[in-house]
Amino acid sequence: MKKQIIYISIAMVIGAFLVGVFSAFYDSYTADEITVNQIEASLNTHCHCESISKDMYSKGVQYSKAKGFSVEHVSFSLINCKYESLQKEANRIHQLLVNDVEALENFNLISLDIISEDRHETVTIKNGQLEI
């Protein structure tokens, strides 16, 4: 009888721990999904492109030689955009995202692939900071 009470107590503690872990993960995922939706809405509203599409969203520890470590990563393709200079457009987009997205600095990695017939360039925003 005493062993059963101990086993039940241990099972309840483990169960409570797992519920807490899954709840925290779900809350974090939901917050990141809101941020991704805000980024996408801002790009669609302010960028002059034929099409804008979300290519990938991932959450979890990742490593890339080019981009280093990241926890959250979202990638968008901006097709046939109208702009004069990549540097000016990257700065303009970054400022728009800073203004439109509440938790931009908390989102680990945003990649914007700007694609046209004659070039393919990538703009990266890491932890809210613009990197080209």
Side-chain angles (χ1 to χ4, degrees):
M1 181 72 167
K2 198 172 189 180
K3 283 185 179 182
Q4 287 178 334
I5 293 172
I6 292 173
Y7 290 142
I8 290 172
S9 297
I10 291 172
M12 289 175 61
V13 168
I14 291 172
F17 174 76
L18 290 176
V19 166
V21 167
F22 288 120
S23 176
F25 178 79
Y26 178 77
D27 291 345
S28 174
Y29 180 82
T30 303
D32 290 341
E33 193 64 32
I34 290 169
T35 301
V36 169
N37 291 339
Q38 289 176 342
I39 293 167
E40 188 170 19
S42 182
L43 292 173
N44 281 316
T45 301
H46 300 293
C47 292
H48 310 290
C49 304
E50 281 182 18
S51 70
I52 297 172
S53 63
K54 179 173 63 172
D55 296 332
M56 184 248 337
Y57 167 67
S58 62
K59 183 168 181 71
V61 178
Q62 305 151 49
Y63 177 76
S64 152
K65 283 185 180 182
K67 297 173 184 161
F69 282 99
S70 64
V71 177
E72 309 96 7
H73 182 197
V74 66
S75 176
F76 291 93
S77 289
L78 288 74
I79 310 295
N80 293 328
C81 300
K82 296 176 186 173
Y83 64 94
E84 293 178 25
S85 126
L86 178 66
Q87 183 68 45
K88 286 180 183 178
E89 184 68 1
N91 287 329
R92 185 183 79 84
I93 291 171
H94 179 250
Q95 190 58 50
L96 290 166
L97 293 177
V98 166
N99 294 339
D100 292 349
V101 180
E102 293 175 23
L104 185 69
E105 69 280 353
N106 296 334
F107 201 86
N108 199 229
L109 185 62
I110 303 164
S111 299
L112 306 174
D113 292 316
I114 302 173
I115 304 166
S116 64
E117 290 180 18
D118 58 341
R119 58 186 172 180
H120 180 161
E121 299 171 303
T122 301
V123 173
T124 302
I125 301 171
K126 192 168 188 174
N127 298 319
Q129 300 300 312
L130 178 64
E131 299 178 359
I132 297 179

